[in-house]
Structures are given as structure tokens and as C-alpha cells.
Amino acid sequence: MANPAERRAGRRPRETWAWPSASVLGGLPQAARERLLALGTLARYPGGRVLIREAEESTFLLILLDGVVKATGRTNDHRDALLAVRMGGDLVGEFAAVDGQPRSATVTTCGPVIARVVTRADFLGCLRHDRRIAQAVNESIVAKLRVATSHRIDFTGCDAPTRLARVLHQITMTYGERTGAGAVIRWPITQPELATLAGAAEPTVQKALRRLREAGVVSTGYRTFRVENLAQLRQLAFS
């Protein structure tokens, strides 16, 4: 049953949040999930709030319950490069919580976010005493590293439109809501952010997106991005 704060905020109770099965929360058995969610304190953040700042020495962890955040890094020419997107069910900040090193990225909310804020001591204590949660966290970290590695390998020798198609396909498969032959991404992603993910100049990405729209592969709306034909996008990305 939702608590009074959840009812006032119009939020669904925790038990009905549909976390992706590939996420830490979505993949854990119910008992283990409840043990993990017993850690820390509940926090709510508005859109555009910086939760973690690159190079700072904080070590807390965020367990995302609802909403979307983006991780960005500062480039040598002082641009913000989009590194990753995380949604409800994911962990954020676990690298620093594990090794105690300075933050490797800045994390900012993309709209309202609900999370549990967990201290490093509580998180490490949980990992030491709960093998099921420790395994899930380890698998999540390895998965993030594998994505980063495959991202570098896949892009070798690819032209910019192919790189963009692969970025869109990866985002859609990970975070998209399937609808018929396509999927919709219900959080804002800008063309400069797509350009940094695809390793391409912004005008090049604008031109490639225009071609995808003209071909009926994608469409855009207010704070949403829709893939109309996922099979066609996959063919463009990997053929």
C-alpha cells in the first residue's frame, strides 16, 4: 500500500514499479530486493539537479527507484560528453562506493527522480553479508564495463550514420518501451548528447537524424524519441 507521501505526490507505490529485468532491482528475487531497498534513506529530486559531480570525493550510492539520470564527463575542450543513461532499477555511484576514489562523472536528473541514498559503509556491509546482492552488483558493474568496451570496438571503422544507428539501437533496447514494431524513449535526449555518444559532429548527427526521420525509422516529440521500425534500425546499425 502506498504511504501518504506517495499518495500526495501521485507516485505509484514501490511494489508496482516496473523495473527492467536487466537492472539490479529488476533482476533480484523479491527477498533480496527488499533487503537492498532497506538500505539508506528515501530522497526525491527535481529535474536538472546535479546529484554527483565529476572529481568530487563523495562515496555515497544512489539506488534509483523511479526516473532517469544522465552521466556526463568533461572533455579537454570543455564540452560535456554524455557517457551513459540510467533509469529506475539501476545503481548510480557504485564505483566510488566500492573503491573510494573520486567520482568519474557528473550525474544529473532528467526530470523528477526518486532514489534511496546509501552510505559507502552500509553498502559495503551489505555486499559482505549478502552474497545474492553482491553477485547482482558485480554482474551490473561487469555489464557496464562490457558495454563500454563493445562501444569502442563497434565504432572502429564505422561511419557517423552507422555509429548513430548503433547508439539509438542500444538506447532503445536498454531503455525503450516496446510498442508494436518500434519503441518509445520517454526522456529527453538532445542532439549534442547523441553526437557525443556517436563520436560525431553535431551537424553530421542532425543530417543523419533527418534521413532517419524521412525514411520513417524514427520520429521525435515533446520529451520523447520514438523508433518507428526497430528492425530497420537494427539493419542500418549492424548490416
Side-chain angles (χ1 to χ4, degrees):
M1 179 177 293
N3 62 38
E6 287 169 332
R7 288 195 295 270
R8 288 195 300 272
R11 294 282 182 176
R12 292 171 293 172
R14 186 182 70 191
E15 289 78 9
T16 64
W17 284 332
W19 294 306
S21 59
S23 68
V24 173
L25 292 181
L28 280 172
Q30 182 175 350
R33 183 187 306 129
E34 291 177 353
R35 293 195 299 271
L36 180 59
L37 291 175
L39 300 177
T41 57
L42 188 69
R44 299 174 186 268
Y45 303 100
R49 172 72 63 83
V50 174
L51 306 180
I52 293 171
R53 199 172 296 277
E54 184 178 359
E56 72 180 10
E57 296 185 356
S58 62
T59 58
F60 63 86
L61 165 81
L62 293 168
I63 305 173
L64 299 181
L65 304 180
D66 196 21
V68 179
V69 302
K70 63 181 179 181
T72 58
R74 200 71 167 166
T75 65
N76 290 333
D77 58 356
H78 306 294
R79 293 182 297 110
D80 287 326
L82 180 63
L83 304 176
V85 175
R86 305 291 178 223
M87 298 182 69
D90 290 332
L91 305 183
V92 176
E94 72 271 34
F95 286 17
V98 169
D99 65 14
Q101 296 299 307
R103 300 292 190 178
S104 58
T106 294
V107 176
T108 308
T109 60
C110 302
V113 165
I114 304 176
R116 295 199 70 83
V117 184
V118 183
T119 66
R120 183 188 186 210
D122 286 347
F123 180 59
L124 293 180
C126 176
L127 298 187
R128 282 194 298 269
H129 296 102
D130 199 312
R131 294 179 60 185
R132 185 64 189 84
I133 292 175
Q135 179 183 348
V137 170
N138 288 338
E139 290 174 353
S140 173
I141 291 174
V142 169
K144 290 177 181 179
L145 296 177
R146 285 187 183 276
V147 168
T149 299
S150 64
H151 184 86
R152 294 187 181 96
I153 294 173
D154 285 348
F155 279 14
T156 302
C158 293
D159 58 19
T162 301
R163 295 199 301 272
L164 175 63
R166 291 186 178 185
V167 165
L168 293 175
H169 185 267
Q170 190 272 329
I171 291 175
T172 302
M173 295 304 295
T174 306
Y175 299 113
E177 298 177 16
R178 295 298 296 268
T179 58
V184 61
I185 301 168
R186 300 188 186 280
W187 45 268
I189 183 168
T190 67
Q191 290 185 4
E193 289 171 341
L194 283 175
T196 60
L197 280 178
E202 189 176 345
T204 302
V205 167
Q206 291 173 346
K207 184 176 180 181
L209 278 175
R210 183 168 62 251
R211 289 178 176 174
L212 290 174
R213 283 194 292 265
E214 291 171 350
V217 179
V218 304
S219 62
T220 57
Y222 177 67
R223 297 179 66 85
T224 63
F225 186 95
R226 182 182 295 272
V227 176
E228 303 292 352
N229 191 321
L230 189 54
Q232 189 175 355
L233 178 63
R234 184 185 301 113
Q235 183 176 14
L236 292 171
F238 301 106
S239 62

